[in-house]
Amino acid sequence: MVVLVVATTSDAASATPAAAFLAMPGWAPGPTIPDGVESFGNGGEVRLLRHARGIVEEDDLDLRWEAATGERVTEVVLLSRHTAVSNRPALTVHPIGVPHLREGVDVPPQGGRPGWAALPNPRIGPWLRLLRRIAADRGLVPEFEITLEGTHHGPVTNTPTLFVEIGSTEEYWGRQDAADAVALLLWKGLGLGEEESVGNWHGNGEKVLLGIGGGHYAPRHMDIVTKDGVWVGHLLSGYSLPMEEPKQPNGKNVADVGGMWKHSIKVSYEATKAAFPGGEIIAHIDQNGPKGGGPRASSLGERSFKGWQKNAITSYLQELSIRVGKPNDFF
């Protein structure tokens, strides 16, 4: 059983931390699998895969590795650049998927399969907290923001997955100090040093946050996740919850509200539950909800929920028997 760390030489924010990771002790060349994917091994459980294409373009690398080597993949970690309108330097961690897109209609702009959500890697919460400590110790804070992102983009994977990204402009993508921090996160997080790995899920009934609503950087979910012991599943930002306002003034029931929001919640919950066997999945709703859109179409974003949206979401969560929690419920 192995962990795959995946990097691309076409992206400095991926290649530079991968090189820093490979500069650490214990690596040996591994096999090159079809389509020019080279590999390196460290110990019995960690493999670094490197290719030359876009990081979101290489679907099913976990299955392809298993087919080529016979090694079963237990999780995937992908290294990538992050872009933001603010241009602020950042180190980010997030789950992946495009559950809000319609199969046969929408084309994912950054990989993935419409309507799909990957299994979220249980390390997301613990690694965010570890990354915050590493960045602070290395003097990257407050210049760099250390944050979660909402669930978005591909590639398609079949095992628990997370992204670690350096942002947000070319000036920072190749920053050696940021790359070294990511490499140390991988080293410590995967237990390649003297300490145990960080973020191993044991399934002892712990609580897992399923984020619903809010902006892309999930600030109100972050308020909870930065506390020790909190586990993180999918984080559905506003754009992942497209809702169509009912035409009838009184039509505010779940069945009256169209759009992909229900599918997005359902598949993200199911993926989170599968990734955390034995855990209690609790939804945390960011009350800062709807943003933009016309009178018939809206998505949950930066402003407060409209009543019909909040009611529809909470009613649907009840239908799925998903508990809605307040911050104190996660501790």
Side-chain angles (χ1 to χ4, degrees):
M1 297 189 294
V2 298
V3 177
L4 298 186
V5 178
V6 183
T8 173
T9 58
S10 67
D11 175 4
S14 183
T16 310
F21 192 33
L22 287 173
M24 294 175 167
W27 291 100
T32 296
I33 68 172
D35 300 319
V37 180
E38 62 176 343
S39 72
F40 305 86
N42 195 317
E45 298 181 355
V46 179
R47 306 288 182 264
L48 189 145
L49 274 55
R50 192 163 61 185
H51 59 76
R53 291 167 291 279
I55 198 73
V56 301
E57 299 171 9
E58 288 293 300
D59 290 341
D60 300 317
L61 261 178
D62 45 1
L63 297 184
R64 290 156 56 192
W65 179 261
E66 290 182 358
T69 67
E71 293 183 334
R72 187 169 82 84
V73 177
T74 58
E75 60 184 286
V76 178
V77 178
L78 297 108
L79 308 178
S80 180
R81 73 177 63 180
H82 169 68
T83 58
V85 175
S86 69
N87 293 334
R88 181 177 178 181
L91 300 174
T92 75
V93 181
H94 70 83
I96 64 171
V98 284
H100 61 296
L101 298 184
R102 298 164 294 174
E103 186 177 1
V105 177
D106 297 320
V107 177
Q110 295 179 301
R113 185 172 60 240
W116 157 86
L119 297 175
N121 193 317
R123 300 190 195 274
I124 291 170
W127 277 26
L128 172 75
R129 297 187 290 271
L130 176 59
L131 183 57
R132 284 164 64 92
R133 292 193 294 271
I134 291 171
D137 290 344
R138 291 179 164 248
L140 293 173
V141 178
E143 181 185 12
F144 279 76
E145 181 178 12
I146 317 301
T147 186
L148 291 168
E149 293 182 76
T151 297
H152 68 303
H153 68 61
V156 174
T157 59
N158 307 273
T159 46
T161 300
L162 66 83
F163 258 73
V164 181
E165 301 184 354
I166 300 174
S168 298
T169 64
E170 187 173 359
E171 177 183 357
Y172 302 104
W173 293 332
R175 276 267 294 259
Q176 191 62 53
D177 52 357
D180 290 343
V182 172
L184 186 58
L185 171 71
L186 297 169
W187 183 262
K188 288 180 173 289
L190 294 174
L192 292 178
E194 297 180 355
E195 301 173 356
E196 293 185 3
S197 60
V198 176
N200 297 306
W201 174 254
H202 299 297
N204 295 324
E206 293 107 323
K207 300 169 182 178
V208 182
L209 184 147
L210 173 68
I212 304 291
H216 181 70
Y217 298 98
R220 287 162 185 81
H221 305 318
M222 276 279 293
D223 290 342
I224 299 171
V225 176
T226 53
K227 307 294 192 304
D228 286 341
V230 178
W231 300 90
V232 183
H234 276 291
L235 301 165
L236 298 179
S237 301
Y239 53 81
S240 294
L241 296 163
M243 305 179 79
E244 298 171 359
E245 185 173 357
K247 296 180 180 180
Q248 300 299 323
N250 296 324
K252 308 300 186 184
N253 295 323
V254 170
D256 299 321
V257 180
M260 284 289 287
W261 64 281
K262 287 188 288 186
H263 178 85
S264 187
I265 290 173
K266 186 173 187 292
V267 299
S268 297
Y269 167 70
E270 290 173 346
T272 300
K273 187 174 181 180
F276 291 90
E280 180 186 5
I281 315 303
I282 303 176
H284 178 253
I285 300 177
D286 185 336
Q287 301 297 334
N288 285 346
K291 176 185 178 182
R296 296 293 174 197
S298 61
S299 63
L300 305 184
E302 301 297 338
R303 298 196 306 252
S304 297
F305 283 174
K306 291 180 181 177
W308 64 270
Q309 291 174 311
K310 180 180 177 181
N311 290 340
I313 289 171
T314 54
S315 294
Y316 187 60
L317 291 171
Q318 289 175 356
E319 284 185 17
L320 296 179
S321 299
I322 302 173
R323 176 186 171 192
V324 176
K326 297 181 179 179
N328 287 340
D329 294 325
F330 293 89
F331 307 114

